[in-house]
Amino acid sequence: MEKACRLIGEAAAGGARVIAFPEGFIPSHPIWYHHHPATGRVSNRFAVELFKNSLEVPSSDFDTLCFAARDANAYVVMGACEKLPDTTGTMYNSQLFIGPDGILLGRHVKVMPTVGERLVHAGGYGDTLRAVHTEFGPLSALICAENTNPLVVFTMIAQNPRIHVISWPGHFPTSGDPMRVRVSVDSRAVAQMSKAFVISSCGTVDEDTIAKLQVGSEGEAFLRNPDCCGGSVIVGPNQQVLAGPMGAEEGIIYADCDLELTIAAKLRHDFAGHSGRPDIFRLWVNESRPRLYNAWGTGRPHRAPGTPPLLLPPGTEGG
């Protein structure tokens, strides 16, 4: 949390108004499942620590993050492992949208956890497939492989984002091309379809993490392979790379986004507008959230004490 707030301040000092973080930046991403048995001692220990340190919304920790965004006068899209307050065992792979006034504008929860994430993350629902309003226009975000899912991507395109954030993990096994190439290809593809500026934020794996993971010499060689992590990049609506791609090092990249470019690009192809054919194609998204438990005889959904209402500012009651 301290590192996140420091980086928000540093990025804002560099002129950033939209600041994007990698997948699961707070507190971490469950990359150990690439290296250890799912039910083994090491995996179980890390999973418990992940839950204990995951972010609750609302909470004093989350308020600290909101204060940092407010002080920076910036929109922040934070990748976080999120747990419901006062619960033990359920976590979500989330992107949290915080406005320059320090208010929670919305959240996106990864619809289908991937690989090892399935062991610790619950899937999201259609109610978080929403762009949020900013002074620059709609801002959308998706996580990792969601940006190659045509239906999920079009759900965001249909909301006409001007800026789209992609959050990536610290590493994943590559099949031929380095991770930075995969990230660049996917980012340019989303930019081409959405005609939005795309910010791809990738995690890294440092030496302290490698030591803690206890993966042996072969695993350490993989984790240190610069082709298997990194690749943060910013792409324009004309698919031109504006900044990056970075390597596996830590750092911040910046780009100036001329929003008129989104107009010029959409005048040519607007797949959510004049280039679409609603008489032929329609996408229906279920934005309702299923309820596991209803109080008997009342017909009202039960919500555990302290459970945060969805998409409301921290501490707001109702929902």
Side-chain angles (χ1 to χ4, degrees):
M1 182 65 71
E2 291 175 357
K3 184 173 186 177
C5 292
R6 174 174 57 80
L7 291 173
I8 290 171
E10 182 180 342
R17 294 296 319 285
V18 177
I19 303 171
F21 281 81
E23 182 176 5
F25 188 84
I26 298 176
S28 182
H29 191 69
I31 61 174
W32 51 84
Y33 289 114
H34 290 292
H35 307 279
H36 295 286
T39 58
R41 176 185 59 82
V42 174
S43 291
N44 282 333
R45 176 167 57 85
F46 280 136
V48 170
E49 289 303 311
L50 180 68
F51 184 88
K52 287 163 56 180
N53 289 278
S54 289
L55 187 60
E56 294 186 0
V57 181
S59 66
S60 58
D61 284 333
F62 184 68
D63 287 344
T64 299
L65 200 61
C66 292
F67 295 150
R70 185 187 64 188
D71 292 343
N73 189 35
Y75 295 92
V76 174
V77 181
M78 177 59 65
C81 184
E82 182 186 6
K83 61 183 177 183
L84 298 181
D86 301 317
T87 64
T88 51
T90 298
M91 296 177 279
Y92 299 90
N93 191 350
S94 299
Q95 289 167 308
L96 302 170
F97 300 79
I98 305 171
D101 53 2
I103 297 298
L104 177 66
L105 301 177
R107 62 161 57 79
H108 168 63
V109 178
K110 192 172 186 178
V111 174
M112 188 62 229
T114 309
V115 197
E117 297 164 21
R118 300 183 187 185
L119 298 169
V120 290
H121 289 152
Y125 300 103
D127 60 338
T128 71
L129 288 171
R130 300 172 183 168
V132 301
H133 178 73
T134 75
E135 63 193 87
F136 308 117
L139 167 66
S140 61
L142 293 171
I143 301 173
C144 195
E146 290 184 316
N147 294 276
T148 59
N149 182 323
L151 298 180
V152 176
V153 171
F154 185 77
T155 299
M156 292 306 181
I157 291 175
Q159 299 173 62
N160 294 293
R162 308 299 193 274
I163 301 171
H164 178 76
V165 170
I166 305 178
S167 297
W168 298 88
H171 79 78
F172 53 74
T174 57
S175 54
D177 290 330
M179 179 172 165
R180 61 184 176 275
V181 174
R182 159 76 184 278
V183 169
S184 181
V185 168
D186 290 352
S187 301
R188 296 176 76 177
V190 173
Q192 195 279 332
M193 291 183 288
S194 66
K195 303 301 188 288
F197 288 90
V198 174
I199 306 172
S200 269
S201 182
C202 304
T204 61
V205 181
D206 61 15
E207 288 298 316
D208 180 63
T209 301
I210 293 174
K212 289 177 180 176
L213 286 175
Q214 306 172 42
V215 294
S217 58
E218 183 176 347
E220 290 183 5
F222 168 77
L223 291 170
R224 293 191 179 102
N225 185 345
D227 286 344
C228 293
C229 73
S232 295
V233 67
I234 303 175
V235 179
N238 55 1
Q239 300 93 63
Q240 296 299 306
V241 174
L242 303 177
M246 293 182 68
E249 72 276 7
E250 291 190 6
I252 302 175
I253 55 175
Y254 301 84
D256 292 325
C257 299
D258 179 0
L259 296 178
E260 285 195 5
L261 289 177
T262 65
I263 301 174
K266 281 203 169 188
L267 287 173
R268 182 175 302 170
H269 290 121
D270 184 358
F271 298 115
H274 65 264
S275 301
R277 287 291 303 274
D279 57 322
I280 302 175
F281 308 106
R282 290 190 182 183
L283 175 62
W284 178 79
V285 179
N286 180 6
E287 292 191 344
S288 65
R289 175 179 287 263
R291 299 284 183 174
L292 182 64
Y293 169 69
N294 275 37
W296 181 259
T298 67
R300 292 182 289 105
H302 171 79
R303 190 173 74 203
T307 301
L310 185 65
L311 303 180
L312 291 179
T316 302
E317 295 299 323

